[in-house]
Amino acid sequence: MTIQWFPGHMTKARRQIQEKLKLIDAVIELIDARLPLSSRNPMIDEILQNKPRLIIMNKADLADPEVTRQWQAYFKEQGLTAFPVDAYTGTGVKDIPNQIKLLLKEKIDKQISKGMNPRAMRVLIVGIPNVGKSTLINRLAGRNIAATGDRPGVTKGQQWIKVTGGEMELLDTPGILWPKFEDQNVGYRLAVTGAIKEEILNVEDIAFFAIKYFTNYYWETMSERFDLKERPTDLDNPDEIVAVMEAIGRKRGCIVSGGRVDLEKASSIFLRELRAGKLGRYSMESPY
Ligand code: G4P
């Protein structure tokens, strides 16, 4: 489900998260490993104030592993702990409680030194729609708790979900954040990965954006899959990118009367194959 974010929605989402911050010890900020900047909320630091925070780069199974490593180093330079996870299969998920414990070490040590029994670490997951919040909650809980899909504005009693051994508890409703909107390229990157629905942007424009990016960074994979012969020499020349789109369309039989290529159909097919992982693992932005 794609949420239309209006200023009123944003204010409400922000207020809801800030209410929940009072209840928790740490935040898991979930981002998409393929687009760690575009899938972050532009006001995240302001919203989370100084809550201890762990960044989880989800869908790492789909991202370029080398680029993901670069992102991890990038966040480390900024004093943030970030690591890759595949919430769908669970890879990396079991490390999360330990990482939260490290984050809260000082607080826990203080409780112990006062002779207190440290209570369960209380955690809230936040992230933009479709980033995998419900999948991660279900994975951490070991059962189906959170319904996938987002419903901003639906209020229900909050519940704590126990995670492995009871050391950590999660709020059952994640905090939903809006993505960046100011930059058109951000919209395209989100659309390429399927984080926002195609109807918002033109499918040919999304495919054009993706094909230009793949020509630059993943030409070999793309040319092999679609049997492409000529690599564009000037990426700033739209005709050369359209020529690649046409070649992809011809390969997939998207021909209309007069032998023209149906670019809309070619674009849909390209994006479907890309999202189904047929073009291998890729990242849409890199830190350096
Ligand atoms: P949200 O709560 O943040 O909105 O996201 P949600 O968990 O609903 O996940 C959105 C989509 O992303 C789901 O796919 C989910 O299966 C997929 N997903 C979540 N984490 C991962 C991951 O680490 N790797 C991969 N490859 N996919 C992930 P869907 O097509 O909407 O639903 P379904 O096919 O799972 O039924």
Side-chain angles (χ1 to χ4, degrees):
M1 175 179 163
T2 308
I3 299 166
Q4 299 286 340
W5 290 104
F6 304 108
H9 275 113
M10 294 187 192
T11 312
K12 190 169 179 187
R14 180 189 178 140
R15 214 174 29 227
Q16 281 178 347
I17 289 180
Q18 286 179 333
E19 275 301 305
K20 289 176 184 178
L21 287 183
K22 296 176 191 154
L23 309 172
I24 50 126
D25 303 303
V27 176
I28 291 176
E29 183 195 352
L30 205 57
I31 59 177
D32 189 316
R34 294 165 297 176
L35 46 156
L37 287 188
S38 297
S39 61
R40 286 190 97 190
N41 178 276
M43 291 163 74
I44 190 74
D45 291 339
E46 213 181 312
I47 294 172
L48 298 185
Q49 294 145 15
N50 287 323
K51 274 284 165 195
R53 183 191 340 172
L54 188 64
I55 297 182
I56 303 273
M57 295 184 276
N58 193 36
K59 308 196 185 185
D61 54 311
L62 306 173
D64 185 329
E66 181 47 39
V67 180
T68 302
R69 270 190 290 278
Q70 291 173 8
W71 278 113
Q72 202 167 2
Y74 165 89
F75 284 119
K76 197 170 172 192
E77 276 168 19
Q78 303 196 342
L80 291 162
T81 309
F83 69 96
V85 151
D86 166 6
Y88 195 71
T89 61
T91 308
V93 171
K94 70 171 181 344
D95 265 356
I96 293 176
N98 280 337
Q99 293 289 342
I100 298 280
K101 209 190 248 178
L102 278 177
L103 217 57
L104 299 176
K105 190 172 178 324
E106 223 173 283
K107 192 171 177 178
I108 296 170
D109 285 350
K110 219 182 249 171
Q111 290 174 342
I112 294 173
S113 72
K114 284 185 186 160
M116 290 156 73
N117 236 351
R119 63 160 172 76
M121 306 174 290
R122 296 193 151 168
V123 174
L124 170 70
I125 294 180
V126 302
I128 65 168
N130 277 319
V131 75
K133 297 178 294 298
S134 311
T135 310
L136 181 62
I137 292 175
N138 290 339
R139 194 41 80 183
L140 281 165
R143 63 206 153 99
N144 255 19
I145 305 259
T148 41
D150 295 296
R151 289 170 178 236
V154 175
T155 44
K156 58 169 184 163
Q158 310 242 337
Q159 293 196 13
W160 294 102
I161 298 160
K162 282 206 185 319
V163 178
T164 47
E167 271 189 322
M168 183 171 131
E169 286 178 351
L170 281 179
L171 262 187
D172 67 339
T173 40
I176 304 166
L177 292 168
W178 60 97
K180 289 186 186 177
F181 290 121
E182 315 85 64
D183 178 352
Q184 208 185 20
N185 288 345
V186 169
Y188 282 125
R189 285 184 203 120
L190 289 166
V192 169
T193 58
I196 58 173
K197 292 275 176 285
E198 251 165 41
E199 300 86 70
I200 296 175
L201 297 162
N202 176 294
V203 67
E204 288 173 45
D205 290 343
I206 304 168
F208 180 94
F209 183 90
I211 288 168
K212 182 173 169 181
Y213 188 85
F214 267 69
T215 302
N216 201 5
Y217 295 100
Y218 299 104
W219 172 258
E220 268 177 38
T221 337
M222 184 169 73
S223 59
E224 209 168 282
R225 177 152 188 94
F226 298 104
D227 211 5
L228 306 172
K229 301 283 183 269
E230 274 175 63
R231 182 181 185 152
T233 48
D234 179 9
L235 286 176
D236 291 325
N237 180 356
D239 292 344
E240 292 199 31
I241 307 300
V242 171
V244 177
M245 291 171 86
E246 285 173 342
I248 291 172
R250 270 193 296 278
K251 181 73 184 168
R252 290 291 179 265
C254 311
I255 309 291
V256 284
S257 58
R260 261 193 329 108
V261 174
D262 180 343
L263 281 182
E264 191 180 340
K265 199 168 168 195
S267 297
S268 293
I269 291 176
F270 176 80
L271 291 172
R272 199 184 320 133
E273 293 188 22
L274 175 68
R275 291 179 190 140
K278 301 282 200 282
L279 278 101
R281 298 168 70 164
Y282 67 95
S283 296
M284 288 300 290
E285 37 190 32
S286 79
Y288 305 115

